[in-house]
Amino acid sequence: MNFTRPLIILTLWGVLLGGLPAMAAEDAAARIPALTNRLSLGYRAVSTDHYGRHAAPFSLLDSGPTSEVELKYLNPTLRLMFIGTYLNEADYLVEADFDYRGLLRINIDSEKLIHNLDHFSYDRPDADNNAAPPSQVEFIDRSTHDDYFVKVGIDTVKVKANLPDYPAHLTLGYWRLERTGKKQLRYLNAGGQAVCSQCHMVSKSQDIDRVTEEFTLGLDTHAGYLNLAVEQLFREFHDREPVPYDYFGSTPDRLPGFYQHDSTPDSRLVSSTIKASTSPSGGVVAAAGFTVGKKENLSGSGLGVSTVESETDFRKASADLTLIPDPTLTLNFRYRMLDQDNSTPSQISVIGLNPKDVNVRNNIDLTRATYNAKISYRPTARLTLVGDFERKEIHRSQTGSAFDDPFDPFWELPEDENINRYRLSFIAKPLGPSTLRFNGWYEYLTSDDPAYGASVEEQQQIFAGVNWTPTPRFGATTNIRLSRGVNSNFDRSEYDSGLLYRYEIDRSQQQEDFTAGLWSQLTDTLNVNFHYGYLRSDTSQDVIFGAAPDPLINENVEYQQRVHTATLSATLQVMKNLQALMEARYIRSSALFDPDFVPQVVLGFPIDSSGLSELSELDIVQTGIALGLEWTLADGWSCGARFSHDDYEDRNSSEFDGTAQLYSFSLARTW
């Protein structure tokens, strides 16, 4: 178990607590401080059946002790808060806050969670390597019994100090993101023989140990009507695990030998920002900011690969203006700009290739400007009408049409793209501020030259929502959003034997989202909540299988997705000092990709679409129930018990089916 973060936090708070008497004595008029404490100790037991990691994807499935602590100290000159919850080494949260007279404020947060990852089995009965003749694919798993997961830890420290006798604040910040764990590395390897009759799919474990650290220093001041601020940011990313490498067989362009897998390079980001704004009160409010910075690659050369020296210089600008010429009218204008200049080496050397020097395509230089204007009109206190227009102007360099060359120096993207978005919306409260509320909007978006196949050339969306609270004991809400998008302006180009082949790809998408919920206090002792959500998404797109000159073109291939979610929870006050809790969950997810092209023979192998639907089809049901009791005893003592059962069922495959049960008990005291 890693105690580094908790020890750092406890040390800092020990220093602060040690200074409490001296700080409090500085104010002779200070009242008796209010101090409250709460401590809870417990135990959590875990049991699983089959593959329980999918049933509880964000839980460390180990039994162990748990604890909670809460400390609050208040007086007129000092505020101190410390809250901590510990479930296990991969799941805890610590929050701390210190405020001395508003002159010095310190916030410390530390949290950690775990995400269980899949281990896709390479035990394939359809790939018998001892068969005669052998199967076309050989599957090799070098880490058959390993479990995969990633633990994510986030630490934050913020310090803000008022400078004595000056209208200014000094801010210091530290942020750390750490990912550790193990994941599955899967890759395709050539056999190395002169004539290879099999594809070799290999799987093995890869350790994860990545850290991102960020430091910020800021100063803000009030200079008459203006507020001024400057900020310096420094961020570094390091992958502390070496890049994995393996022996690869020969290919027509590469000699056999040891080669590295893909890597995520270490990097550094440095930026400087200046901001200015007017007072937020009054009929005219303005703000502006400008940032200049650099991102650079810090990784050195790898195994058989020369050093890649790459960097990006960027500039960002922003401006906001709010005008309120009349109490019923508000005008907002916003401008955002991003300018990126990338530099990369023209060549890199890879030992084993012939020739070993490889040309490198320059990264895209990007300039993006966003203009937004919004008008809000309130003819009555119960109705608000809003009109919104936004335009994005995108310019890319290093782009152009494809041409017949082993090294194509251009990215096949539009050099210029303009995206316009129009929205009309309303908010209505016909029965007063809280009883009944309607809101809705209609949005229309266009792009004159969509950059990608999944981009939209034209899209329409509509949203409507209702909130109804007729009494303090009952409320309901419902929302629906409909979306329709098309892209008939995207081409795919391929060269073969000196000839250019161009294929037009059409795409359309429809999506509906619906949610409904209600809450009710049925009696003085019973509260009930219910929520339901539904997602429907249908995409139709032309798909190309293979390559020029004779690809398999399947027009209007359908991809369908459906998701239903339902949650029911209730709280019952059984007795004055005994409360019962219940929650039930249900999720049904399904998806289907349905290509259908004419069977053909390619390179001597029969090709058809019969198995593609089964490979991609999803039909998953997830259910769960949670029960709990909270019992308040005498003299500040209390106890609690929790039980949860989660079930994961894949109706197309039982490989990841399983259940997870969590049992917990805690005893707490408040004083």
Side-chain angles (χ1 to χ4, degrees):
M1 176 179 173
N2 186 353
F3 289 96
T4 303
R5 278 186 289 267
L7 285 175
I8 292 175
I9 292 172
L10 290 176
T11 301
L12 289 172
W13 281 107
V15 174
L16 294 175
L17 290 172
L20 287 180
M23 292 181 179
E26 292 183 10
D27 190 346
R31 295 173 297 179
I32 298 176
L35 177 64
T36 60
N37 306 276
R38 182 178 183 274
L39 176 64
S40 172
L41 300 175
Y43 190 84
R44 189 181 77 151
V46 179
S47 67
T48 61
D49 178 48
H50 194 51
Y51 199 85
R53 297 161 59 82
H54 254 204
F58 300 102
S59 294
L60 179 65
L61 300 179
D62 292 337
S63 302
T66 64
S67 62
E68 292 184 26
V69 61
E70 182 176 317
L71 168 67
K72 293 182 180 179
Y73 178 92
L74 300 174
N75 74 13
T77 62
L78 183 65
R79 183 187 73 209
L80 172 66
M81 180 192 73
F82 179 87
I83 299 175
T85 301
Y86 177 86
L87 295 181
N88 50 62
E89 61 174 316
D91 193 347
Y92 60 78
L93 172 65
V94 175
E95 298 177 284
D97 181 73
F98 172 87
D99 188 343
Y100 175 64
R101 289 183 171 181
L103 299 176
L104 177 63
R105 280 174 266 182
I106 304 175
N107 301 99
I108 303 174
D109 298 320
S110 181
E111 61 179 319
K112 197 170 189 179
L113 59 86
I114 186 173
H115 185 193
N116 296 316
L117 306 177
D118 292 331
H119 186 159
F120 293 99
S121 174
Y122 271 23
D123 183 11
R124 298 287 298 270
D126 59 336
D128 185 1
N129 299 322
N130 297 319
S135 62
Q136 298 174 8
V137 181
E138 179 187 15
F139 291 88
I140 305 169
D141 194 339
R142 298 176 180 171
S143 309
T144 307
H145 302 292
D146 282 1
D147 290 329
Y148 297 131
F149 61 90
V150 58
K151 297 177 182 178
V152 181
I154 301 177
D155 302 318
T156 305
V157 178
K158 297 179 181 178
V159 180
K160 187 172 184 178
N162 286 5
L163 300 183
D165 302 324
Y166 292 97
H169 303 91
L170 177 67
T171 59
L172 300 172
Y174 172 74
W175 177 80
R176 175 187 174 92
L177 172 65
E178 181 178 19
R179 293 184 175 94
T180 59
K182 186 179 294 186
K183 67 178 181 178
Q184 186 176 17
L185 174 62
R186 297 180 291 166
Y187 61 95
L188 177 66
N189 195 352
Q193 301 92 342
V195 177
C196 183
S197 59
Q198 283 184 308
C199 293
H200 305 271
M201 298 294 298
V202 185
S203 169
K204 70 175 188 177
S205 296
Q206 180 181 356
D207 290 332
I208 304 171
D209 190 357
R210 299 179 172 185
V211 175
T212 302
E213 292 185 292
E214 178 181 289
F215 299 87
T216 56
L217 171 65
L219 179 66
D220 64 86
T221 184
H222 308 287
Y225 187 66
L226 289 178
N227 301 318
L228 302 176
V230 293
E231 181 181 275
Q232 182 67 36
L233 181 145
F234 179 87
R235 181 192 302 158
E236 280 197 355
F237 165 81
H238 293 284
D239 189 344
R240 298 187 293 193
E241 285 292 330
V243 180
Y245 62 89
D246 281 284
Y247 183 86
F248 289 85
S250 62
T251 69
D253 300 317
R254 186 194 63 209
L255 298 174
F258 286 93
Y259 295 94
Q260 285 187 345
H261 292 275
D262 290 342
S263 65
T264 302
D266 294 351
S267 60
R268 175 186 296 143
L269 183 148
V270 180
S271 69
S272 303
T273 302
I274 183 170
K275 301 177 183 178
S277 63
T278 64
S279 172
S281 61
V284 179
V285 179
F290 183 77
T291 299
V292 59
K294 174 183 288 189
K295 296 180 285 185
E296 56 184 328
N297 180 9
L298 298 180
S299 294
S301 60
L303 179 65
V305 181
S306 62
T307 302
V308 178
E309 297 179 356
S310 174
E311 64 181 33
T312 300
D313 295 309
F314 65 90
R315 291 158 293 279
K316 297 191 291 185
S318 65
D320 295 87
L321 177 63
T322 300
L323 303 176
I324 309 177
D326 185 85
T328 64
L329 187 64
T330 301
L331 305 175
N332 298 97
F333 302 94
R334 186 180 65 179
Y335 169 74
R336 299 289 186 269
M337 186 276 293
L338 170 65
D339 183 40
Q340 290 188 160
D341 293 328
N342 297 287
S343 62
T344 56
S346 59
Q347 288 185 331
I348 61 173
S349 297
V350 181
I351 297 176
L353 296 184
N354 186 19
K356 68 181 182 65
D357 293 329
V358 180
N359 293 327
V360 177
R361 180 186 296 176
N362 290 328
N363 287 334
I364 297 174
D365 293 336
L366 175 71
T367 301
R368 182 178 63 228
T370 303
Y371 309 87
N372 180 269
K374 182 169 69 174
I375 179 171
S376 301
Y377 176 56
R378 296 170 293 278
T380 70
R382 299 184 178 184
L383 178 64
T384 301
L385 304 175
V386 180
D388 191 348
F389 171 73
E390 181 179 273
R391 178 178 175 85
K392 290 184 179 179
E393 297 179 352
I394 303 173
H395 175 76
R396 308 175 181 92
S397 67
Q398 310 298 335
T399 64
S401 301
F403 64 93
D404 188 16
D405 192 307
F407 171 66
D408 185 348
F410 298 119
W411 300 89
E412 197 174 346
L413 293 170
E415 182 177 6
D416 295 295
E417 181 181 3
N418 298 312
I419 302 173
N420 294 322
R421 180 180 62 84
Y422 311 84
R423 175 182 285 195
L424 297 175
S425 57
F426 75 94
I427 301 174
K429 305 173 184 178
L431 301 181
S434 59
T435 303
L436 183 63
R437 183 178 184 268
F438 297 95
N439 67 303
W441 48 261
Y442 168 79
E443 182 178 287
Y444 179 66
L445 182 144
T446 64
S447 173
D448 61 354
D449 197 353
Y452 304 97
S455 304
V456 293
E457 178 184 10
E458 182 178 330
Q459 183 183 59
Q460 299 184 71
Q461 296 189 78
I462 188 169
F463 170 87
V466 180
N467 292 315
W468 182 42
T469 311
T471 72
R473 302 172 69 99
F474 176 81
T477 180
T478 182
N479 300 287
I480 185 171
R481 183 172 68 93
L482 309 177
S483 176
R484 302 289 185 269
V486 297
N487 184 0
S488 58
N489 190 21
F490 181 76
D491 292 336
R492 174 68 181 270
S493 300
E494 291 187 1
Y495 266 94
D496 183 76
S497 302
L499 298 177
L500 175 65
Y501 297 85
R502 188 176 298 275
Y503 307 98
E504 183 177 303
I505 305 298
D506 293 335
R507 174 187 172 95
S508 64
Q509 183 177 21
Q510 302 180 13
Q511 182 170 315
E512 295 88 34
D513 301 276
F514 173 77
T515 61
L518 61 87
W519 60 269
S520 176
Q521 185 176 349
L522 298 178
T523 67
D524 291 339
T525 60
L526 179 61
N527 293 320
V528 177
N529 293 273
F530 174 76
H531 178 270
Y532 172 75
Y534 173 68
L535 166 68
R536 173 182 174 181
S537 176
D538 293 312
T539 302
S540 176
Q541 179 175 311
D542 300 339
V543 179
I544 300 176
F545 296 91
D550 297 312
L552 304 176
I553 302 177
N554 195 175
E555 296 182 348
N556 301 320
V557 178
E558 297 288 340
Y559 177 74
Q560 301 175 353
Q561 185 180 10
R562 307 286 186 270
V563 181
H564 299 264
T565 63
T567 304
L568 175 65
S569 61
T571 303
L572 175 63
Q573 195 72 37
V574 182
M575 297 185 298
K576 182 179 180 181
N577 61 345
L578 180 62
Q579 187 179 66
L581 312 171
M582 185 278 293
E583 181 180 274
R585 302 176 296 275
Y586 173 85
I587 303 175
R588 175 71 180 275
S589 308
S590 62
L592 177 64
F593 175 61
D594 192 21
D596 183 16
F597 55 80
V598 177
Q600 298 187 26
V601 176
V602 179
L603 299 177
F605 295 100
I607 302 296
D608 62 66
S609 59
S610 59
L612 295 178
S613 294
E614 290 110 5
L615 286 173
S616 58
E617 183 178 4
L618 296 177
D619 191 358
I620 298 171
V621 177
Q622 297 168 267
T623 57
I625 187 169
L627 303 173
L629 288 174
E630 293 183 355
W631 189 12
T632 303
L633 307 174
D635 299 327
W637 289 92
S638 63
C639 64
R642 294 284 192 278
F643 166 76
S644 67
H645 173 90
D646 292 281
D647 180 88
Y648 180 93
E649 178 188 1
D650 187 340
R651 297 189 172 180
N652 294 323
S653 170
S654 61
E655 181 179 356
F656 294 120
D657 288 359
T659 63
Q661 296 80 35
L662 305 180
Y663 313 82
S664 63
F665 176 81
S666 62
L667 180 65
R669 185 170 183 241
T670 302
W671 70 96

